[in-house]
Amino acid sequence: MKLPVAAGLSTAAVAITLYPLFDGGAWFWASMGAILVVTVVGVVAGRLGARPWVTPVAAPFALLVYLTAVFTHDLAWLGVVPTKDSLPLLAELVSTGFDDIQRYAAPVPANPGITLLTAGGVGLIALLVDLFAVRLRRAALAGLPLLALFTVPAAVITDPIGWPAFVIGAFGYVGLLVADGRERLSHWGRAVVVRRSRTLTGGGSPDTGRLALSGKRIGVTAIALSILLPALLPALSPDPLFGFGVGNGLGSGGGTIAIPDAIAKLSGQLSQQNNDTVLTYTSSDDQPRYMRIYALDLFDGTKFTPSGLRGRPEDRVSEGPLPPAPGLGPAVTVKRAETRISISEDIGRLTFLPLPYPAVQVEADGDWRADESTLTVFSTKDEAAGLAYRVVTGEPEPTTTQLDTALPQPEGEARYVSLPSGLDPRIAALAKRVTSGATTQYQRAVKLQNWFTHTGKFTYNIRASGSGRQALSHFLFDERSGYCEQFASAMAVMARMLNIPARVAIGYTGGTKIGDKWTVRVHDAHAWPELYFAGVGWLRFEPTPAGAAGQGTAEAPQYTLPVTPSAGPSAGPSSGPATGTDDSDTLGRPSRPNPRQIDRDLGAVPLAPAPGMPVIAKVGVGAAIVLLLALIPAAARLLSRSRRGRVLGRTAPPAGAVPARAATAGGDDRAGRRPPADAAWLELCDTLTDLGMPRRRDESPRALGRRITERYELDAESAASLARIVSAEERLRYARTPAAAGPGRADVRRVRRALAGNVSRWRRLGAVVAPMSTLLRIRAVGERALDLFDLLEGVRLRSGPGPAAGSVQADRSYEAPRETTLTGSRR
């Protein structure tokens, strides 16, 4: 019944790869419990000799009982049996879990719903693995559900899966295959002894050890290659060492956080009777600034919605500057400003930071992350209420010439100009009529804004309403009255019809100056369009009427007014290249280099990455590391030779002072030191192995000395030294007392030189660079490590008599030849 246990262990090993998805360990223990339930059902069914279909039927019920006991025990009968009250609550938790995973980005909190979904999902995977590997005896197919479980973090997060978790999961699957193979081999037949020998096999099962060892070697080699090759081969993106299955680009899946219904929330804020303070701020230039919270880029014909945010651990604002503003090129002058913002403690739940756009640096307590395409800053665990933080902005100050000569929209970002089918065709005709006479995209955008605020005769009314696909047409052609969301959405749609990339931003206007601070209140909630111009980036426009008859604190940006900045702005202390980062912040402190200096979002003017290590230097470092690893066996061989040399340098003990090896457990004295004769013998054996003339396992020291002397040309001194080494080892093994005078360091060195003179130069070089004696020891250590798999094979559900354990000392005692066995087929 070891195979069900192996199936459960393999599922648990692969489940460890889910760790980046969760905050805390509640999911892990709940999942381990689900796996344990499925495993116990499989083991019990096997012990009772049940039919194969019993476990797939009984395990889901046992899993349901387990989940009931863990999550809804208060409503269950006896705390474990599901009832008509506990089952609806369990279903409600599942529904809540689905909603929560849509709201949060990884790592998600340990909500009961999310934990329930995880434990139930892992339990079902364990059930499928048991079905394939144990019931259907198709252990290889069990890799499919395990692979499905493994791909969950790879599909959800953009961070690389840690290589230790990958190795544990891979070994779990290999262990399942090994267990299945051992069980199959054990059923081949019974052992038939065809030749007597001193070593007898215990039992009648065939010796599957060598076959199992070969399988384990193949598995370990495959895992090692899957780890090392991706790290050595060049990649298309700067993935870290030992990354698996995921990329770091903007297009990667996962790591998303859902934005609440920002439009509905905005309407509710504007309709409130109370006009409470939301935040206060001060700025270095004492100018008001719009505080953007959300950026909506998808239009479904009714309203704008977000496409989702992505925030990786390296995108934490505490890690350094924010990603560069998308599309902002080096030719545009930027104005640096510092804003210090304090959020009211009385606001509701808000996991986004209100920020002026574009922010360059944000200093805020907590785990706040920046979405690289929108520069929206959000958190999955912290809230903005009561938070005080500092923001450095780099606001573009484009000239009229730069805006008029902005490049067309680049390919690959069609979502910013895409519109659903079925829109009123009159809207496109209206957009062309309103912008007639304009020769550039920028001039068309300014005409659109001016039409909404002046010539179009629109009025501001927060009570205006409308829904469905006809709401836009009703606003533009019939009512011409609405609030900021309708103005922003209408201008964004019309801009897209003119092939100008557009999206809708939601946040707050700059508020009102009270004392030495700017105060932003609930009624300052606002929506506005952002239009994209290559080389300049995203610019705010203001189509909503301002003043007493409109949105009171709304303000059109300077670059959209008839008087625009001159074509040749002077560079002042607050201006600098628009690279998204600077060598220092506004306080003069040096900033850390931004590791995210890559082309962003609309990819206008490429932004040069911070200079890193040259490719040649990287290749050199990699080659040096490989060389150092390759020289580890040579270094180990030199250390062992030096250690033995120190032993041989000691004065040989007098006769009778050191007991024979048979009386001292292998030749080591009570102080733990090897006798000089032992060190000389071990060095001789290692030298012979390195030079390709190893000792046979059944060869005595005297036979070895005779063979070496007869086969190879040794001078008289070398032959005498070899004889002393052999004689000392022989006496140490079989005599009551060792020789009075053993071999010395000079004897070993003389024999080594004489033997090296009988082999080729390449063989001598190989003995130094890659000594076979050390490599064989490393291989032996690896084989012993692989035998950890056999611990599972030693598990017994009930104890029984077994053969007594015995010890055999390698290379010292006589080893009898193994039995030769034939397997008789089972009848």
Side-chain angles (χ1 to χ4, degrees):
M1 295 299 102
K2 304 165 189 174
L3 201 54
V5 178
L9 291 177
S10 64
T11 307
V14 177
I16 293 177
T17 60
L18 299 177
Y19 77 93
L21 303 181
F22 304 95
D23 184 13
W27 71 273
F28 177 78
W29 299 113
S31 300
M32 294 303 104
I35 295 173
L36 181 61
V37 167
V38 175
T39 303
V40 169
V41 171
V43 171
V44 172
R47 292 292 297 174
L48 297 178
R51 294 186 177 275
W53 55 265
V54 172
T55 298
V57 173
F61 288 100
L63 186 61
L64 177 61
V65 170
Y66 166 76
L67 297 177
T68 300
V70 173
F71 296 97
T72 60
H73 58 276
D74 293 338
L75 300 178
W77 184 56
L78 299 179
V80 294
V81 180
T83 64
K84 62 179 182 180
D85 296 323
S86 66
L87 289 178
L89 180 57
L90 210 61
E92 182 180 349
L93 284 176
V94 171
S95 177
T96 303
F98 275 113
D99 293 337
D100 287 345
I101 61 177
Q102 298 298 324
R103 293 176 52 215
Y104 296 104
V108 299
N111 293 345
I114 294 178
T115 306
L116 170 61
L117 275 179
T118 306
V122 172
L124 291 178
I125 293 295
L127 180 59
L128 291 175
V129 172
D130 182 87
L131 174 65
F132 286 122
V134 184
R135 313 306 152 189
L136 300 180
R137 301 309 305 271
R138 297 291 186 270
L141 289 180
L144 295 178
L146 293 177
L147 179 63
L149 184 62
F150 176 80
T151 55
V152 171
V156 172
I157 62 174
T158 57
D159 305 323
I161 299 174
W163 67 268
F166 170 81
V167 170
I168 293 174
F171 270 109
Y173 179 56
V174 171
L176 176 61
L177 296 179
V178 169
D180 177 70
R182 293 289 291 267
E183 186 162 333
R184 289 176 181 273
L185 291 175
S186 65
H187 293 166
W188 280 7
R190 63 182 184 274
V192 179
V193 180
V194 298
R195 180 171 62 88
R196 292 186 178 274
S197 64
R198 291 178 55 186
T199 305
L200 301 178
T201 58
S205 60
D207 181 12
T208 61
R210 305 308 298 177
L211 290 173
L213 180 60
S214 298
K216 287 181 283 189
R217 287 173 178 169
I218 294 172
V220 172
T221 302
I223 295 172
L225 291 177
S226 66
I227 296 174
L228 296 176
L229 286 182
L232 298 177
L233 295 177
L236 297 179
S237 60
D239 291 339
L241 190 66
F242 301 131
F244 297 96
V246 295
N248 291 333
L250 179 62
S252 320
T256 62
I257 180 172
I259 295 178
D261 193 340
I263 301 299
K265 186 176 182 179
L266 172 65
S267 176
Q269 287 182 304
L270 294 176
S271 302
Q272 288 184 16
Q273 294 296 327
N274 296 331
N275 193 20
D276 298 328
T277 298
V278 175
L279 61 90
T280 60
Y281 68 92
T282 59
S283 58
S284 58
D285 57 0
D286 199 28
Q287 295 296 316
R289 283 180 171 80
Y290 277 39
M291 299 291 170
R292 194 188 65 163
I293 302 178
Y294 311 119
L296 317 179
D297 53 9
L298 300 179
F299 184 65
D300 59 4
T302 302
K303 63 180 179 179
F304 276 86
T305 57
S307 59
L309 304 177
R310 293 171 175 84
R312 305 167 297 175
E314 58 264 37
D315 291 326
R316 293 188 180 97
V317 298
S318 59
E319 296 293 326
L322 268 66
L328 183 56
V332 178
T333 301
V334 297
K335 177 184 179 181
R336 293 278 173 162
E338 177 183 326
T339 306
R340 295 185 179 272
I341 305 171
S342 297
I343 306 294
S344 171
E345 296 182 354
D346 299 327
I347 66 171
R349 175 177 172 80
L350 179 63
T351 57
F352 293 77
L353 292 185
L355 297 172
Y357 183 87
V360 175
Q361 287 178 303
V362 175
E363 294 180 1
D365 294 334
D367 185 7
W368 297 94
R369 306 184 183 189
D371 174 65
E372 60 185 7
S373 66
T374 63
L375 299 188
T376 299
V377 175
F378 62 93
S379 177
T380 61
K381 58 181 69 173
D382 297 306
E383 296 187 26
L387 185 67
Y389 51 98
R390 170 181 172 271
V391 184
V392 177
T393 53
E395 301 169 355
E397 292 185 329
T399 64
T400 304
T401 302
Q402 289 172 331
L403 290 171
D404 280 333
T405 59
L407 299 175
Q409 176 201 8
E411 298 180 0
E413 292 295 339
R415 60 180 171 137
Y416 293 113
V417 294
S418 64
L419 293 168
S421 59
L423 291 179
D424 191 338
R426 295 181 299 166
I427 301 177
L430 176 63
K432 293 181 180 179
R433 184 170 67 251
V434 169
T435 59
S436 61
T439 58
T440 65
Q441 299 287 58
Y442 162 67
Q443 294 176 9
R444 295 185 181 94
V446 172
K447 279 201 167 189
L448 273 180
Q449 174 180 290
N450 188 61
W451 180 71
F452 279 106
T453 55
H454 294 91
T455 61
K457 298 181 180 181
F458 283 84
T459 59
Y460 183 81
N461 183 5
I462 62 173
R463 293 178 175 82
S465 62
S467 61
R469 288 182 172 267
Q470 300 304 318
L472 181 59
S473 299
H474 180 69
F475 170 73
L476 290 174
F477 297 106
D478 301 330
E479 191 169 355
R480 291 209 175 183
S481 179
Y483 65 102
C484 56
E485 184 273 327
Q486 294 168 303
F487 284 97
S489 298
M491 181 172 175
V493 170
M494 295 176 73
R496 290 189 176 192
M497 290 179 172
L498 298 173
N499 203 36
I500 303 175
R503 64 189 184 191
V504 173
I506 291 182
Y508 296 94
T509 62
T512 306
K513 182 71 175 296
I514 301 178
D516 59 349
K517 295 182 179 180
W518 292 89
T519 300
V520 177
R521 302 183 183 275
V522 172
H523 290 177
D524 292 321
H526 192 49
W528 62 91
E530 292 181 340
L531 275 58
Y532 176 83
F533 299 92
V536 179
W538 291 99
L539 295 179
R540 175 178 67 87
F541 284 77
E542 187 52 271
T544 304
Q551 178 80 1
T553 53
E555 184 180 43
Q558 185 68 27
Y559 47 78
T560 66
L561 300 179
V563 179
T564 58
S566 63
S570 59
S574 62
S575 302
T579 59
T581 60
D582 199 358
D583 292 336
S584 62
D585 59 21
T586 57
L587 300 181
R589 296 175 299 186
S591 300
R592 288 170 289 181
N594 190 348
R596 300 172 292 224
Q597 289 275 14
I598 57 177
D599 295 345
R600 302 290 183 184
D601 196 61
L602 295 178
V605 180
L607 302 176
M613 184 181 296
V615 176
I616 297 179
K618 293 181 180 179
V619 173
V621 171
I625 293 175
V626 172
L627 180 61
L628 290 176
L629 293 176
L631 291 178
I632 288 178
R637 181 72 178 91
L638 289 176
L639 289 176
S640 65
R641 181 181 298 173
S642 175
R643 184 176 64 253
R644 292 165 183 168
R646 290 194 298 271
V647 174
L648 291 172
R650 299 202 304 261
T651 304
V658 180
R661 185 185 326 225
T664 57
D668 290 348
D669 58 23
R670 296 186 182 274
R673 299 182 301 175
R674 292 184 179 275
D678 192 21
W681 173 254
L682 292 175
E683 182 61 26
L684 173 63
C685 294
D686 284 352
T687 300
L688 293 173
T689 302
D690 295 339
L691 296 176
M693 46 183 89
R695 180 177 69 91
R696 302 189 186 101
R697 298 181 66 86
D698 57 348
E699 196 171 31
S700 65
R702 181 176 298 182
L704 173 66
R706 183 170 54 250
R707 178 173 63 86
I708 295 298
T709 304
E710 293 175 353
R711 177 172 298 184
Y712 302 103
E713 298 179 0
L714 300 181
D715 54 71
E717 289 185 348
S718 300
S721 296
L722 177 61
R724 281 193 290 271
I725 296 174
V726 169
S727 177
E729 173 66 16
E730 192 173 34
R731 288 186 59 87
L732 193 61
R733 286 192 182 190
Y734 308 117
R736 289 184 176 274
T737 58
R745 186 184 306 174
D747 292 320
V748 174
R749 188 183 302 114
R750 189 178 299 112
V751 172
R752 183 169 57 245
R753 284 200 300 263
L755 293 175
N758 287 273
V759 297
S760 65
R761 180 184 304 173
W762 291 109
R763 173 68 73 175
R764 292 196 298 270
L765 179 61
V768 174
V769 177
M772 184 57 63
S773 59
T774 304
L775 295 178
L776 289 176
R777 288 190 175 89
I778 294 175
R779 188 180 73 173
V781 172
E783 290 181 356
R784 287 194 293 271
L786 291 178
D787 287 338
L788 291 176
F789 284 111
D790 293 334
L791 292 178
L792 182 62
E793 300 299 319
V795 175
R796 294 290 184 271
L797 296 181
R798 58 183 181 182
S799 61
S807 60
V808 179
Q809 185 176 353
D811 293 339
R812 293 290 188 271
S813 59
Y814 174 73
E815 180 180 357
R818 295 184 177 180
E819 292 180 329
T820 302
T821 62
L822 298 177
T823 56
S825 59
R826 306 181 69 180
R827 299 183 182 223

